[in-house]
C-alpha cells in the first residue's frame, strides 16, 4: 500500500489516468524480481480492478494468470490475483462501498455491457486456466480456496454451459467442487453452495454426479444443523440446490426416494412449536416456501406417473401429508405459505386414492369439527380471501376429485341441502349456493331458459364449459338439450353475432357446443337431426366461419395459459375463463367436430353407406363363412377320427398281411423248389430268376443224376454179362483142358489153340477189372454230384429265407461253378464211357476171334476124329456145346453192345443238356464276374486234379 | 431403511455389452431385448443379504459410448465396486478391457472391488472370447471373474452379490475406511452411532420396503 500511496502521492497535481496507472502496475508485476514487489503491484491492481475493470482486464488478465501459475505457492499473491480477476469478471459486484467510487463514477458507467462475460470467455478459452482453478481448490489455505470458489462461481454465472462442460471433462472436477460443502469453514461451505447452485443449473449429467457424491444427505445435514426452516439463507441455498438436483431429473428423484430421504423432509414442516412470537421471518417464509416446492417437485404432474405414485405413497406413510394438512388447518400461517401448502397437498393427493381418502378424512379443529375440504371451499367462495388462495383451493378440490369416483359421487349427493341445520354445511351445498348467488340462472334443470347473453363473460363461459362437458359423450343429454326448440336458434344467433375480442371466446365455445350437438346426435329429434344441423351450420353460419370461431379458442391467451398446467394460475379473478380440464376436452373434440359438422358429399355419403352396407355384407359373409368353416371343421374332425380308427385297423391288417406274405413267400419258395423238380422248363421268370434258374438247374441235375444212375445200372448189368461170359470162357477153357487131356496127340495143338484164347480171356478179364475200377470212379463222381446237390439245396433254402439279390447272385455263381465241375465230370465220364464202349467193341472182336479160334479148334478136333472116335465124339459134343455157349455169349455181347448204344444216346442227350446249362450259366456268369473268378480258380484247381487223375488213368491204359 | 451397509456400484464397459440389461435383470428381474442407449448415467437400487446382514446396493449404470466417458469418470471416485462388462460375442469389447481398467484404476480409490463380467453367455454359438481368456485376464489383473447372461439371468445375482461379498470382506478386514463416504460405502442408520434420531424417521421402515423393490 505504501507503494501505491507513494505512487499516487508523487503526482498530486497531475493525477495520472487509471489506464496509465494500471499499465505501470502491470509492468511492475511482470518485471519485479521480488515477490513482495509483485505482491504489492497485484494488490494495487486489485484495488483498481473494481473501478477500472476494462483496463485491468484488458491489460492485466494474462499477467494475472501468469502470477497464478508461477507464484501459486504464495497464498497472498494468489489471493490478490484471484480477487482481482473476480472483480473484473463479476458483472454485479457486491458494493462494499468503496470510498473512491463516487469520484470515478463517470468512468465506471462507461464500460461496455457484459464486460465480465467477455473476460470470462477469454479466460476459459484456455482449458488449463479452469484446471488451474480446480487445482487451487485442493489447496486448503483459506486465502486461496475462498477466492477460487468465488471466481468459479462468477465464471459459472457468466458462461454457465461452457464452464459446465469444462468441469465435466475433468474427472474429479465435480467431486472437488462437491467437497466444498463439506468444508468446516462456513464461509467456504456457503459460497460452495452458491457455486453448486450455478453448476447444477440445467445440466442433468452434473446434477447426477453431484447427487452421486452424496449431495442430498449432506444438504439435509446442513439444513438440520441450521435448524430447518428457522435457519438462515444457507437453508435457502441448500433447498435451491436440492431443487436444482431434483427438478425434471427422474434419476435423482428415484435416488432421493430410494435413499429414504422423503422421510427426512417430514421434520421440515414441524412449524407448530416454531412460531413463538407468532411472527414469521421473511427468511422462514422463504425457506418453508422452498421446502413446499421441493415436495411438489417430487410429485409434479409432469413426472412419470409411476414415480409420482411411489412418492405420494411414501409421503402418506411417513406422515408428511399429515404434517402438511396440519399446516393447512393451523392458525397464523401466512397466506403465501398457506397457498403453497394447499397447492402442495393438492399434488400429493392428486390421482392417489389412498391420499385422497386421507384428505377427505381430515377435520378442521373448529367447533363443531368440519371436514377440511369444506373449510377450504368456504375460503374459496369467500371473495374477500386472496385470489391466489382461492385458486389454490380450487386446484386442491380438482386434485381431490381427479380420478376419484367415490369423491365425485359424494359431492353430487350433497349438492342440495338435506337438513335445515345451517352448521352442517356440505361441500356440494357450498358450491351450489355459490353458483346460485353468482350466476343469473334460475332453473338449472331447464338449461334452455338461461340468459347467458346478458351475464358476465366469465359466467357465460363457465356455463358453456359446463354444458360442453355435460353433453360430450352423452347422447341422452344432447337429446334433452335439443328438445327445447329455442336452444339451437339461440346458439346460431350467438355464433353469427358480431363480437368483441373476449366475446369471440364465447362464440368459440358456442360453436363447440353446437358441434357436440351434431356429433353426439342420435337423430331422435326430428327437427334437429344430424343432417339438419349440418345444413343449418353451412347455411346460417357458413362452414368456414364456424371453423374460424372454433379455432379462435385455441389462439387465445387464456387457452394457452390454461393448457400449461393443471394448477390454475391466474393473475386476477376476472382472468379465470378456461381451465386445464376444459382445454383437454377442447383438444379432444376440435378435430372430431370439424369433421362432424361438414355435411358429407353425396359421394362420401354413398361411399359411407356403401361401406356400411359392405361392412354388414362382409360381416354376414364372414359369419356364414365361419359357420361353414365350423361345420367343415366339425366334419373334418369326425373324418379324422374315423380315418384314425381306419388307420389303426389298416396297420393291424398290414401287419397280418406282412406275416402272411412272409408265410406265402416261404410257401412259394417251397413250392418253387418242388415245382422246379417237377417241371424245370415252366419256371422261367425274370424276377428272382437266379433262384428259379438254380431250382431248374437243380432239377436238371437231378435228371442227369437219374440218367447217370441208369447208366451205372446198365454198366453193372454189362459187368454181369461180362462176368458170365468170363465164366463161360473158363468153363470152355476147362473143357478144352479136359479134351486136351483126353486126346494127347491133339492135346498140344488143342492146347496151343486154347492158349491164346485163354490169354485173350485173361486180357478180357483184366479189361473188365479196369472197367470196374472206372465204374467205381464214376460212382464216386456221382457221389460228389450228390453232395454238391445237397449243398446246393441247402443254399437254395438259405436263399429263400433271406432272398437278397447279392446272396442269390453269389449262390448262382457257386451253383454255376459246381455245374461247371459237374460238366467236366460229366465230360470225363462220357469219355470213360466212350473208352468203355471201345473196350466192349474190343471185347467183341476178341470174342469173335475167340469164336473163330474155337471154330478152328473144332475143325482141328474133327480132323483127328479118326484117331479116337468115341473120345473125339465126346470132345466134339463138348466143343459143340462150347460153340453154342460161345454163340450165346456172342449174342449176349451183342445185347451188351446194344445197351451200350442206348447209353451213348442218353449220354448225347445229357451232353446237349449240359450245353444248354453252360449257355445259361454263361449268361449268369457275365453278371457276376468277381465271384465267378474266385470260385473259378478253385474249380480250375479241381479240374486240374481231375485231369491229372485222368491222365494217370490214361497212362495206365497205355501201359496196359 | 433397515440396512447395515450401503454400497455404491458402477457398471462400466463398451457400449452394447449389456450393462443396462444386467442392471434391469438385477433390480427388476426382467429382460428387455431392445434397450435405449443409456444417456449419461442411470440409477438403480436393490437390497441384498450377506452374512445375515441387509445390504443396500445403489448401482449407477454408465453409458458405454466414448462421448460419455468423461461423465463416467466422475463416478469412479465414489464407488465401492465396479462391474467391468464385456460381450463374449464381440472380441473388441474384450480387447478394450485394458483401457477400461486403466481408466478405473486411475480415477477410483485403490480399494474399489472390480468384477470382470463376460456377458451374453447364452449366445454360445456366437462366442468369440473363450471363458479361459476371461479367467486369465481376471487372474492377471486381480479381478473376480464371472460369465453372465442378462437374458437368462444366469449368474447375474451372483455377480452383484459376490462383488458385495468381496467389499464386505474388505470391510471386515478393515481395508475400507467406512466413515469416509467418498469410498462408496455408508453405514446404515441404525448402525450409525451418531444420529439415531434422524434415521429413526418413525415408521418409515415399512414404507421403505415398498421403495426397495424398484
Amino acid at each position: 500500500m505504501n507503494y501505491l500511496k507513494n505512487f499516487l502521492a508523487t503526482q498530486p497535481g497531475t493525477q495520472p489516468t487509471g489506464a496509465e496507472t494500471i499499465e505501470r502496475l502491470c509492468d511492475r508485476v511482470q518485471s519485479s524480481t521480488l515477490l513482495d514487489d509483485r505482491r504489492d503491484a497485484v494488490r494495487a491492481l486489485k484495488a483498481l480492478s473494481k473501478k477500472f475493470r476494462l483496463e485491468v482486464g484488458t491489460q492485466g488478465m494474462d499477467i494475472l494468470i501468469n502470477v497464478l501459475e508461477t507464484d501459486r505457492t504464495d497464498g497472498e499473491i494468489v489471493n490478490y490475483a484471484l480477487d482481482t480477476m473476480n472483480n473484473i469478471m463479476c458483472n454485479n459486484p457486491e458494493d462494499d462501498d468503496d470510498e473512491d467510487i463516487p469520484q470515478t463514477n463517470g468512468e465506471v458507467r462507461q464500460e461496455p455491457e457484459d464486460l465480465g462475460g467477455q473476460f470470462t470467455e477469454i479466460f476459459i478459452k484456455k482449458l488449463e486456466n479452469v484446471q488451474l482453478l480446480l487445482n487451487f481448490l485442493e489447496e486448503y489455505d483459506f486465502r486461496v480456496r475462498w477466492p477460487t470458489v468465488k471466481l468459479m462461481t462468477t465464471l459459472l454465472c457468466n458462461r454457465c454451459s461452457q464452464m459446465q462442460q469444462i468441469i465435466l471433462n475433468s474427472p474429479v472436477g465435480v467431486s472437488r467442487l462437491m467437497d466444498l460443502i463439506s468444508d468446516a469453514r462456513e464461509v467456504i461451505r456457503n459460497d460452495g453452495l452458491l457455486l453448486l447452485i450455478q453448476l447444477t443449473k440445467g445440466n442433468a449429467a452434473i446434477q447426477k454426479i453431484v447427487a452421486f457424491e452424496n449431495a442430498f444427505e449432506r444438504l439435509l445435514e446442513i439444513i438440520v444443523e441450521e435448524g430447518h426452516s428457522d435457519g438462515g439463507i444457507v437453508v435457502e441455498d441448500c433447498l435451491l440446490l436440492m431443487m436444482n438436483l431434483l427438478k425434471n431429473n427422474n434419476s435423482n428423484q428415484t435416488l432421493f426416494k430410494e435413499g429414504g430421504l422423503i422421510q427426512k423432509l417430514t421434520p421440515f414442516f414441524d412449524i407448530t412449536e416454531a412460531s413463538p412470537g407468532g411472527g414469521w421471518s421473511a427468511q422462514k417464509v422463504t425457506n418453508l416456501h422452498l421446502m413446499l416446492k421441493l415436495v411438489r417437485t417430487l410429485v409434479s404432474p409432469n413426472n412419470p406417473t409411476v414415480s409420482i405414485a411411489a412418492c405420494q405413497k411414501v409421503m402418506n406413510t411417513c406422515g408428511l401429508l399429515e404434517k402438511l394438512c396440519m399446516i393447512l388447518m393451523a392458525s397464523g400461517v401466512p397466506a403465501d405459505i398457506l397457498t403453497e401448502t394447499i397447492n402442495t397437498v393438492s399434488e400429493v393427493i392428486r390421482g392417489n386414492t389412498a391420499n385422497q381418502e386421507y384428505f377427505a378424512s381430515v377435520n378442521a379443529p373448529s367447533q363443531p369439527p368440519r371436514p377440511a375440504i369444506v373449510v377450504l371451499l368456504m375460503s374459496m367462495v369467500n371473495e374477500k380471501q386472496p385470489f391466489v388462495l382461492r385458486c389454490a383451493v380450487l386446484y386442491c378440490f380438482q386434485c381431490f376429485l381427479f380420478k376419484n369416483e367415490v369423491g365425485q359421487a359424494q359431492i353430487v349427493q350433497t349438492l342440495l341441502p338435506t337438513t335445515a341445520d345451517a352448521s352442517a354445511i356440505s361441500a356440494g351445498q357450498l358450491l351450489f349456493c355459490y353458483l346460485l348467488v353468482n350466476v343469473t340462472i334460475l332453473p338449472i334443470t331447464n338449461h334452455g331458459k338461461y340468459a347467458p347473453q346478458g351475464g358476465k363473460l366469465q359466467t357465460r363461459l363457465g356455463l358453456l364449459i359446463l354444458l360442453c362437458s355435460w353433453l360430450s359423450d352423452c347422447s341422452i343429454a344432447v337429446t334433452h338439450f335439443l328438445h327445447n326448440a329455442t336452444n339451437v336458434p339461440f346458439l346460431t344467433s350467438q355464433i353469427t353475432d358480431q363480437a368483441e375480442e373476449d366475446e369471440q371466446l364465447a362464440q368459440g365455445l358456442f360453436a363447440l357446443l353446437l358441434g357436440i350437438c351434431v356429433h353426439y346426435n342420435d337423430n331422435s329429434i326430428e327437427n334437429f337431426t344430424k343432417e339438419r344441423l349440418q345444413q343449418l351450420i353451412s347455411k346460417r353460419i357458413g362452414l368456414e366461419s364456424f371453423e374460424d370461431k372454433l379455432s379462435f379458442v385455441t389462439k387465445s391467451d387464456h387457452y394457452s395459459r390454461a393448457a400449461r398446467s393443471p394448477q390454475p394460475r391466474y393473475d386476477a379473478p376476472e382472468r379465470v375463463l378456461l381451465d386445464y380440464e376444459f382445454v383437454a376436452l377442447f383438444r379432444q373434440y376440435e378435430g372430431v367436430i370439424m369433421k362432424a359438422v361438414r355435411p358429407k358429399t353425396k359421394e362420401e355419403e354413398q361411399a359411407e353407406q356403401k361401406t356400411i352396407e359392405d361392412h354388414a355384407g362382409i360381416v354376414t359373409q364372414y359369419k356364414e363363412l365361419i359357420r361353414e368353416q365350423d361345420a367343415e371343421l366339425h366334419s373334418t374332425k369326425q373324418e379324422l377320427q374315423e380315418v384314425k380308427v381306419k388307420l389303426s385297423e389298416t396297420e393291424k391288417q398290414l401287419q397280418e398281411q406282412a406275416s402272411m406274405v412272409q408265410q406265402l413267400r416261404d410257401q412259394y419258395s417251397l413250392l418253387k423248389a418242388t415245382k422246379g423238380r417237377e417241371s424245370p422248363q415252366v419256371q422261367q421268370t425274370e424276377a428272382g430268376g437266379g433262384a428259379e434258374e438254380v431250382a431248374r438247374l437243380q432239377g436238371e441235375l437231378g435228371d442227369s443224376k437219374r440218367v447217370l444212375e441208369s447208366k451205372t445200372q446198365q454198366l453193372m448189368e454189362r459187368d454181369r454179362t461180362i462176368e458170365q461170359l468170363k465164366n463161360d470162357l473158363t468153363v470152355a477153357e476147362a473143357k478144352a483142358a479136359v479134351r486136351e487131356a483126353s486126346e494127347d496127340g491133339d492135346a498140344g495143338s488143342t492146347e496151343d489153340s486154347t492158349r491164346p484164347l485163354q490169354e485173350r480171356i485173361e486180357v478180357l478179364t483184366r479189361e473188365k477189372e479196369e472197367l470196374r475200377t472206372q465204374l467205381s470212379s464214376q460212382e464216386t463222381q456221382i457221389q460228389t454230384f450228390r453232395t454238391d446237390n445237397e449243398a446246393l439245396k441247402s443254399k437254395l433254402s438259405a436263399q429263400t429265407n433271406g432272398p437278397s439279390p447279392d446272396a442269390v447272385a453269389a449262390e448262382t455263381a457257386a451253383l454255376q461253378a459246381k455245374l461247371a465241375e459237374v460238366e467236366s465230370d460229366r465230360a470225363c465220364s462220357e469219355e470213360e464211357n466212350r473208352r468203355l464202349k471201345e473196350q466192349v467193341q474190343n471185347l467183341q472182336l476178341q470174342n469173335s476171334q475167340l469164336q473163330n479160334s474155337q471154330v478152328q479148334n473144332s475143325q482141328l478136333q474133327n480132323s483127328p476124329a479118326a484117331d479116337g472116335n468115341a473120345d473125339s465124339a465126346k470132345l466134339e459134343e463138348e466143343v459143340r456145346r462150347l460153340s453154342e455157349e460161345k454163340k450165346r455169349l456172342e449174342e449176349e455181347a451183342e445185347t451188351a453192345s446194344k445197351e451200350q448204344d442206348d447209353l451213348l444216346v442218353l449220354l448225347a442227350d445229357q451232353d446237349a443238356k449240359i450245353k444248354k446249362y453252360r449257355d445259361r450259366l454263361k449268361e449268369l456268369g457275365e453278371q457276376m464276374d468277381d465271384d465267378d473268378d474266385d470260385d473259378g480258380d478253385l474249380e480250375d484247381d479241381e479240374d486240374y486234379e481231375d485231369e491229372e487223375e485222368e491222365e494217370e488213368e490214361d497212362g495206365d491204359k497205355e501201359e496196359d | 431403511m433397515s440396512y447395515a451397509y450401503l454400497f455404491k456400484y458402477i457398471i462400466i464397459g463398451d457400449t452394447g455389452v449389456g450393462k443396462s440389461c444386467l442392471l434391469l435383470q438385477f433390480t427388476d428381474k426382467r429382460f428387455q431385448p431392445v434397450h435405449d442407449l443409456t444417456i449419461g448415467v442411470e440409477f438403480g437400487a436393490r437390497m441384498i443379504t450377506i452374512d445375515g446382514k441387509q445390504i443396500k446396493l445403489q448401482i449407477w449404470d454408465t453409458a458405454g459410448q466414448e462421448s460419455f466417458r468423461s461423465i463416467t469418470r466422475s463416478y469412479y471416485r465414489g464407488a465401492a465396486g465396479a462391474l467391468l462388462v464385456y460381450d463374449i460375442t464381440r472380441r473388441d469389447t474384450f480387447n478394450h478391457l485394458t483401457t477400461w481398467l486403466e481408466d478405473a484404476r486411475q480415477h477410483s480409490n485403490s480399494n474399489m472391488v472390480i468384477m470382470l463380467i463376460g456377458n451374453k453367455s447364452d449366445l454360445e454359438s456366437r462366442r468369440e472370447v473363450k471363458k479361459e481368456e476371461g479367467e486369465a485376464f481376471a487372474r492377471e489383473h486381480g479381478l473376480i471373474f464371472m460369465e453372465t447372461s442378462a437374458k437368462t439371468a444366469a449368474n447375474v445375482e451372483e455377480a452383484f452379490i459376490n462383488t458385495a461379498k468381496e467389499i464386505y470382506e474388505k470391510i471386515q478386514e478393515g481395508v475400507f475406511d467406512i466413515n469416509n463416504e467418498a469410498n462408496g460405502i455408508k453405514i446404515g442408520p441404525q448402525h450409525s452411532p451418531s444420529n439415531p434420531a434422524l434415521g429413526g424417521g418413525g415408521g418409515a421402515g415399512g414404507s421403505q420396503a415398498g421403495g426397495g423393490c424398484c
Side-chain angles (χ1 to χ4, degrees), chain A residues 434-445:
Chain A
Y434 179 68
L435 285 175
L436 281 186
V437 170
N438 283 277
V439 182
T440 53
I441 47 163
L442 292 168
I444 200 161
T445 40

Side-chain angles (χ1 to χ4, degrees), chain A residues 425-545:
Chain A
I425 307 166
S426 69
Q429 253 173 292
L430 213 56
L431 288 171
F432 188 57
C433 293
Y434 179 68
L435 285 175
L436 281 186
V437 170
N438 283 277
V439 182
T440 53
I441 47 163
L442 292 168
I444 200 161
T445 40
N446 191 356
H447 31 253
K449 287 186 182 164
Y450 64 95
Q453 208 171 3
K456 279 202 294 180
L457 172 71
Q458 205 172 25
T459 317
R460 294 169 62 205
L461 286 180
L463 283 168
L464 283 168
I465 290 169
L466 173 64
L467 280 170
C468 287
S469 312
W470 192 344
L471 298 189
S472 64
D473 210 7
C474 181
S475 296
I476 299 168
V478 171
T479 310
H480 276 282
F481 182 76
L482 295 176
H483 205 71
N484 188 329
T486 58
N487 279 350
V488 172
F490 174 71
L491 288 183
T492 39
S493 71
Q494 286 296 313
I495 296 167
T496 47
D497 274 359
Q498 285 296 319
E500 292 165 27
E501 186 165 338
D502 275 354
E503 285 297 318
Q504 285 186 340
L505 197 60
Q507 284 192 330
L509 265 61
F510 275 117
L512 180 72
L513 185 57
L514 188 56
I516 288 171
C517 288
V518 176
H519 187 66
Y520 289 104
N521 196 323
D522 57 2
N523 296 332
S524 57
I525 304 223
E526 211 180 313
N527 286 329
F528 302 110
T529 59
K530 210 175 247 190
E531 208 174 325
R532 289 220 177 173
L533 286 177
Q534 282 169 348
Q535 282 171 356
L536 189 83
I537 289 166
S538 58
K539 280 179 190 162
R540 297 286 298 278
I541 305 167
L543 273 175
E544 297 231 337
S545 167

Side-chain angles (χ1 to χ4, degrees), chain A residues 409-428:
Chain A
Q410 280 169 353
I411 296 298
V412 170
Q413 277 170 4
T414 58
L415 270 178
L416 291 171
T418 46
T419 56
D421 188 359
S423 60
I425 307 166
S426 69

Side-chain angles (χ1 to χ4, degrees), chain A residues 167-176 178-179 204-205 207-214 217 221 224 251-252 254-261 263-264 267 310 313-314 317-318, chain B residues 1 3 8-10 39-46 56 58 60 70-71 73-79 107 181-182 186 195 198-199 201 203-205 207-208 210-214:
Chain A
I167 293 170
L168 256 186
N169 280 325
S170 165
V172 289
V174 177
S175 29
R176 283 214 183 123
M178 265 304 296
D179 290 343
Q207 288 165 6
K208 285 180 190 174
I209 298 171
V210 171
F212 173 78
E213 300 275 353
N214 303 315
E217 289 88 342
E221 274 170 31
V224 172
S251 177
N252 277 356
T254 317
L255 177 65
F256 193 85
K257 174 172 64 72
E258 199 58 51
L261 300 178
Q263 289 86 333
K264 292 191 178 177
K313 192 182 168 196
V314 177
T317 48
C318 77
Chain B
M1 284 298 288
Y3 60 80
K8 289 186 183 182
Y9 280 11
I10 51 169
I39 305 295
V41 175
E42 294 301 331
F43 167 77
R46 218 189 101 180
K56 184 160 198 142
Q58 285 188 343
W60 275 265
S70 62
I71 294 178
R73 288 195 188 106
S74 304
Y75 288 84
Y76 287 120
R77 202 183 75 157
H107 297 110
E181 286 185 6
K186 224 166 94 179
N195 202 350
L198 184 68
S207 69
Q208 193 50 36
C213 68
C214 48

